Amino acid sequence: MASSNKLQDKLNLLDEMEHLFNKMLDNSSLLTQFLNEVDTHFTHSREEIENFSDWLKKIKESASNIDRLSSQANLLSINSAIEAGHIGREGAGFSVLAQEMKKLSLEIQKQASSIASINNNLGARFIPVKETTEKNQEQVQQIKIQVEEGHQNLISLSEQVNELKHIFTFISMQQFFNTVKLDHVLWKEAIYIHLLNNDDEHCVNQHTECRLGKWYYQGDGRKFAGTEAFRRLEEPHKLVHECGRLALSANINGDQDAVTQYIERMEQASVDVIKYVDVLLNSGTY
């Protein structure tokens, strides 16, 4: 009994460990999912950063083109002013237009230079943002790898716990069934002793009252209910008890032929009981 209790304590501990591992596996799965979402977010952010960087380059190119064109316009205005001076009074209106064109080109150059300065400032400020984003994504990916490795380790540990639980369950059931078979032998031995003592059938219990009977009708035996061996076990077990009790009753009545017949039937049924108990032990239904 003490050994059986220790086995049951170990099984209870393994059940707790299995529950804990399952919970840890669920949490690690959720963490992996979260890290995947973060990684995706960083990937999207890096894409947006790249797009923004491309826009800055295009703005810089446009500003450079504007500056180039304004320089050409300024040069044209200077040439136009010179030509207007050569023409004299008739070129006065053209000279005014050349001056306005020069002012406009200078203003365009000024604005283009301002745009280029702002663009360069944005680019300089955006570089550390890009670098930080890339670094954070790399760290997230490293963490994700470690979490996935931990998840696989948990799966391995959980499988080992399940295997250990299976072994202890088998040992526990083997111990129980061996005890049942021993009880069965001792019960038959008690029948022979009661025959020698001329005791009546009330000296022995019913098939529902022994260790096997309580297991079969009230205990963990119901987990085997779907097996053929479990269904076949009931009849010979019941017959063993009935024949043993009938043998005691016939002995009290002095009918030795009936005693012999009942004892033979009891022994035959006993063989089937042991057979089906062994089948259940080896069925793996535990």
Side-chain angles (χ1 to χ4, degrees), residues 9-45:
D9 289 341
K10 288 181 172 63
L11 283 172
N12 292 338
L13 178 61
L14 288 172
D15 282 336
E16 293 179 11
M17 291 177 65
E18 183 180 31
H19 176 73
L20 178 60
F21 277 125
N22 287 336
K23 189 173 182 179
M24 291 173 69
L25 283 169
D26 290 340
N27 290 333
S28 65
S29 295
L30 291 174
L31 180 57
T32 300
Q33 181 180 351
F34 170 75
L35 290 173
N36 284 333
E37 292 174 357
V38 173
D39 188 32
T40 301
H41 173 73
F42 274 123
T43 299
H44 180 70
S45 297

Side-chain angles (χ1 to χ4, degrees), residues 80-81 84-85 87-101:
S80 297
I87 295 174
R89 185 183 303 174
E90 291 78 4
F94 191 70
S95 177
V96 171
L97 289 175
Q99 290 176 1
E100 291 301 321
M101 185 174 180

Side-chain angles (χ1 to χ4, degrees), residues 12-13 23 36 45 57 92 114 123-124 137 139 146-147 171 178 181 222 229 240 252 254 278:
N12 292 338
L13 178 61
K23 189 173 182 179
N36 284 333
S45 297
K57 290 178 181 178
S114 178
Q137 185 173 23
Q139 292 176 342
Q146 293 175 358
V147 169
I171 293 173
N178 286 337
K181 290 190 287 186
R222 303 310 300 172
V240 166
I252 291 293
D278 285 337

Side-chain angles (χ1 to χ4, degrees), residues 67-85:
D67 185 65
R68 178 177 55 80
L69 292 174
S70 66
S71 295
Q72 292 178 357
N74 184 46
L75 182 62
L76 287 173
S77 67
I78 293 173
N79 291 332
S80 297
I82 294 173
E83 291 297 328

Side-chain angles (χ1 to χ4, degrees), residues 124-142:
R125 291 175 178 272
F126 217 68
I127 289 174
V129 174
K130 179 180 179 181
E131 291 176 348
T132 300
T133 301
E134 291 174 350
K135 183 177 180 180
N136 288 339
Q137 185 173 23
E138 289 175 359
Q139 292 176 342
V140 167
Q141 290 173 345
Q142 291 174 0

Side-chain angles (χ1 to χ4, degrees), residues 52-270:
F52 188 78
S53 180
D54 290 340
W55 295 333
L56 289 178
K57 290 178 181 178
K58 291 177 181 178
I59 292 173
K60 184 177 181 180
E61 291 174 359
S62 298
S64 297
N65 289 331
I66 291 172
D67 185 65
R68 178 177 55 80
L69 292 174
S70 66
S71 295
Q72 292 178 357
N74 184 46
L75 182 62
L76 287 173
S77 67
I78 293 173
N79 291 332
S80 297
I82 294 173
E83 291 297 328
H86 290 163
I87 295 174
R89 185 183 303 174
E90 291 78 4
F94 191 70
S95 177
V96 171
L97 289 175
Q99 290 176 1
E100 291 301 321
M101 185 174 180
K102 181 177 181 180
K103 290 180 181 179
L104 178 61
S105 66
L106 291 174
E107 183 62 25
I108 290 174
Q109 279 185 322
K110 181 180 178 180
Q111 295 299 328
S113 178
S114 178
I115 291 171
S117 177
I118 293 172
N119 191 73
N120 291 334
N121 189 29
L122 282 175
R125 291 175 178 272
F126 217 68
I127 289 174
V129 174
K130 179 180 179 181
E131 291 176 348
T132 300
T133 301
E134 291 174 350
K135 183 177 180 180
N136 288 339
Q137 185 173 23
E138 289 175 359
Q139 292 176 342
V140 167
Q141 290 173 345
Q142 291 174 0
I143 293 172
K144 187 171 69 171
I145 291 172
Q146 293 175 358
V147 169
E148 289 173 349
E149 289 178 354
H151 185 76
Q152 293 301 319
N153 290 335
L154 283 174
I155 291 175
S156 178
L157 287 173
S158 179
E159 290 174 350
Q160 292 177 31
V161 168
N162 287 333
E163 181 64 24
L164 193 59
K165 180 181 175 182
H166 179 79
I167 292 172
F168 273 106
T169 301
F170 174 78
I171 293 173
S172 177
M173 292 304 300
Q174 185 180 52
Q175 184 183 61
F176 172 78
F177 282 131
N178 286 337
T179 302
V180 163
K181 290 190 287 186
L182 180 60
D183 283 352
H184 189 70
V185 171
L186 292 176
W187 191 90
K188 292 191 301 175
E189 182 180 344
I191 291 294
Y192 292 113
I193 293 173
H194 289 311
L195 286 173
L196 293 174
N197 294 334
N198 292 318
D199 297 324
D200 62 19
E201 70 273 16
H202 299 293
C203 295
V204 291
N205 54 19
Q206 300 282 350
H207 72 286
T208 58
E209 298 171 338
C210 67
R211 189 192 302 267
L212 180 59
K214 291 178 180 178
W215 174 83
Y216 192 95
Y217 295 105
Q218 304 169 21
D220 293 337
R222 303 310 300 172
K223 68 176 64 173
F224 293 87
T227 65
E228 183 179 0
F230 182 83
R231 293 191 295 269
R232 287 179 175 270
L233 174 61
E234 182 178 24
E235 186 58 32
H237 178 232
K238 180 179 179 181
L239 192 59
V240 166
H241 281 260
E242 287 181 351
C243 288
R245 291 168 63 85
L246 288 171
L248 294 178
S249 179
N251 185 59
I252 291 293
N253 295 328
D255 189 349
Q256 293 304 312
D257 290 338
V259 171
T260 300
Q261 291 177 3
Y262 286 131
I263 290 298
E264 287 179 354
R265 292 181 62 191
M266 180 186 75
E267 291 293 352
Q268 290 172 356
S270 176

